[in-house]
Amino acid sequence: MEKIVIEGGIRLEGEVEVSGAKNAALPIFTATLLAPGPFRLGNIPNLRDTVTIIKILESLGVKIEKLGEGEYEVDGTGLCGHETPYDLVKTMRASCLTLGPLLARTGKAKVSLPGGCAIGERPIDQHLKGLEALGAKIDISHGYVKASVDGRLKGARIIMDLVTVTGVMNIMMAATLAEGKTVIENAAREPEIVALAKFLTAMGAKINGAGSSIITIDGVESLHHVDFDNIPDRIEAGTFMAAAAITGGDITVTGVVHNDLHALTEKLKEAGCEITEAVKSVRVQGPDKIRPIHVTTAPFPGFPTDMQAQIMAVMALADGASIITETIFENRFMHVAELWRMGADITVNGSTSTVCGVRSLSGADVMATDLRASASLLLAGLAAKGVTRIDRIYHLQRGYERIERKLGSLGAIIRRE
Ligand code: EPZ
């Protein structure tokens, strides 16, 4: 099994460009199921998860051709399937984003229930509630969701019981071809939802309010293919910003959208970082002494849960005690036990962790348990004294493109073994 090996204790310096957003690329790929192709998609990151979503579309009869670095032609004209199989869904929950588009385009969809995940139960009841409100018949049997509708879906007013990113994405995609108006209330406001809405609008959909908690979709008869470039990955950007903080380095992250990073930027300033924003880049100078902070994760524009593990690694070296509260997922502290192995002093009490900063972390053999936990261990390894070996790095490869090369360009001594 491949490992990442890091020799820590080096201040990272230099410039690094972020790749396209994983969590926007995945729904944009499935949204191509709504219209015959060929689409041209740009700024798509080369990740395990994008490889998986491409496999899923190809299994449905979609033709996908790589045109160049990060660029694909996607042609669903020959769409012939409507089933997304378990063996693909179990490797990536976001596969359930085929549900809405397949239902709207073909009138039926059979998608494996995602099943559990390391960070939490993550049910899709809200996705199904929304699709039912649009007139879909939903059956769950043998681990699969079967959704069908006679004729067209019908627009409806849907009040989400809780804020769900992919739940809103599935419903919004289905509603674009429904008859009449759909209003989604209590909608998630993440930038990835705004990017998907922009893509759908370019395809001819009529959507208003994406990015706010009330999204209105006026259904149309059909949509058409377009060329579209994906947004940058705010979580990858945040991870490099955290690398500057934890190593006391000086990193300029380019290709970012400042508005997507404000919650993180404010917390890094509180922790003592010097932040300088230019047109499409942000410079982070880490402090000599990291100040402890309090962080509570929340839906956008709050502090992103996908940066919780990374900020915890930074706080492990703060000059005092930090409180980190995770409100989105019920089991997203699995990086704590691995950070303990590196000398971190963290106590977990339910959804709250108290991180008592230590003078230094020590390199150790650790194991990645999920995507962002592996990023947390990477950051800790960059700052730790000695060598850190991270096992099960397939978790990391799901969401970070060429991370060793990018960190190496900033001065890190890092290699794959
Ligand atoms: C998206 O997951 C992201 N993934 C996650 O990123 C991210 O952590 C999460 O949003 C929150 O921002 C993708 O976009 C592919 P949710 P999603 O539905 O949509 C509960 C990463 O690291 N819920 O917003 O699955 C759910 O259990 C990944 O890139 C229901 O109860 O998250 C969770 O507690 C990890 N019923 C909360 O809502 C539902 O029907 C938020 O989940 C749906 C969700």
Side-chain angles (χ1 to χ4, degrees), residues 22-23 94 119 122-127 162-166 305-306 328-329 332 371-372:
K22 166 177 86 79
N23 291 348
I119 62 177
R122 299 179 76 181
I124 59 167
D125 57 296
Q126 297 295 305
H127 300 231
L162 48 84
V163 175
T164 157
V165 176
T166 50
T305 173
D306 291 351
I328 307 291
F329 292 109
R332 203 170 198 177
L371 168 55
R372 305 305 173 181

Side-chain angles (χ1 to χ4, degrees), residues 202-232:
M203 289 169 63
K206 292 188 173 38
I207 301 174
N208 287 298
S212 79
S213 55
I214 300 181
I215 302 176
T216 305
I217 304 108
D218 290 299
V220 294
E221 295 270 331
S222 66
L223 297 169
H224 54 77
H225 58 79
V226 288
D227 290 0
F228 191 81
D229 288 328
N230 182 20
I231 61 171

Side-chain angles (χ1 to χ4, degrees), residues 165-188:
V165 176
T166 50
V168 164
M169 290 174 168
N170 246 332
I171 297 163
M172 184 167 73
M173 288 189 281
T176 56
L177 291 176
E179 198 176 330
K181 182 191 286 282
T182 295
V183 180
I184 305 173
E185 297 188 36
N186 194 22

